[in-house]
Amino acid sequence: GNTSSIELEDFSDNILFLGGGLTYYNVKFTGNNASNDRSNQIQGANTFNNLTFNISDRYGKKVTLYANQTVNGTFTSSGCVVYRLFITSDVIGTARTITAAAVSLSYTDFRDITGAGAAASFTGTSIGNIGGNSGITFTSPVTRY
């Protein structure tokens, strides 16, 4: 239990992580060869040592949180330049809290997420605000033509 790793590879189909409100060591969602609009869900108010979402190319992914999550180590969310990662609450207008000791964020959009813990305010590279967020410092928008 204190050194386990759970890796959900491919990140291609709808993945439902039924955490059951338990404690996990390292949990990692990875992959790059998937079709668009996949919804990956984490249910239960879980505790992780490290929690990682990492997509390397192609299509963005959606991660839906059904409860607050605690990360005692590092919360990592890494999308890519073209296809971003999207982390959201299961209910629009109802914020879910991610409490983390440290964060590593890039190319990720958030909706209805509260960043908390030693890492607050969450910062990173190219972080997008879709609304209803707090405790996250978003990248300033730029006009592109």
Side-chain angles (χ1 to χ4, degrees):
N2 290 335
T3 60
S4 65
S5 291
I6 299 171
E7 186 164 345
L8 301 144
E9 293 186 37
D10 198 4
F11 215 175
S12 61
D13 293 319
N14 295 330
I15 294 173
L16 175 58
F17 184 85
L18 297 171
L22 300 175
T23 299
Y24 300 88
Y25 198 66
N26 295 332
V27 175
K28 185 175 186 179
F29 293 75
T30 63
N32 64 6
N33 52 357
S35 59
N36 206 1
D37 296 327
R38 296 297 185 185
S39 178
N40 301 279
Q41 305 169 11
I42 296 182
Q43 296 188 5
N46 308 296
T47 301
F48 303 91
N49 177 57
N50 294 306
L51 177 61
T52 301
F53 300 104
N54 184 8
I55 60 169
S56 56
D57 63 12
R58 287 191 157 172
Y59 299 104
K61 298 291 176 274
K62 178 180 176 183
V63 177
T64 303
L65 302 180
Y66 284 73
N68 299 335
Q69 306 299 313
T70 300
V71 183
N72 293 325
T74 303
F75 169 59
T76 302
S77 174
S78 179
C80 62
V81 174
V82 178
Y83 300 104
R84 303 169 63 84
L85 191 58
F86 175 40
I87 299 177
T88 183
S89 167
D90 63 315
V91 178
I92 294 176
T94 300
R96 302 293 179 207
T97 300
I98 301 172
T99 303
V103 296
S104 176
L105 308 174
S106 62
Y107 306 107
T108 303
D109 298 321
F110 293 93
R111 180 179 66 203
D112 295 321
I113 300 296
T114 299
S121 170
F122 288 15
T123 61
T125 302
S126 191
I127 307 301
N129 183 1
I130 301 193
N133 301 294
S134 63
I136 304 171
T137 301
F138 294 99
T139 305
S140 298
V142 295
T143 302
R144 302 276 189 212
Y145 297 96

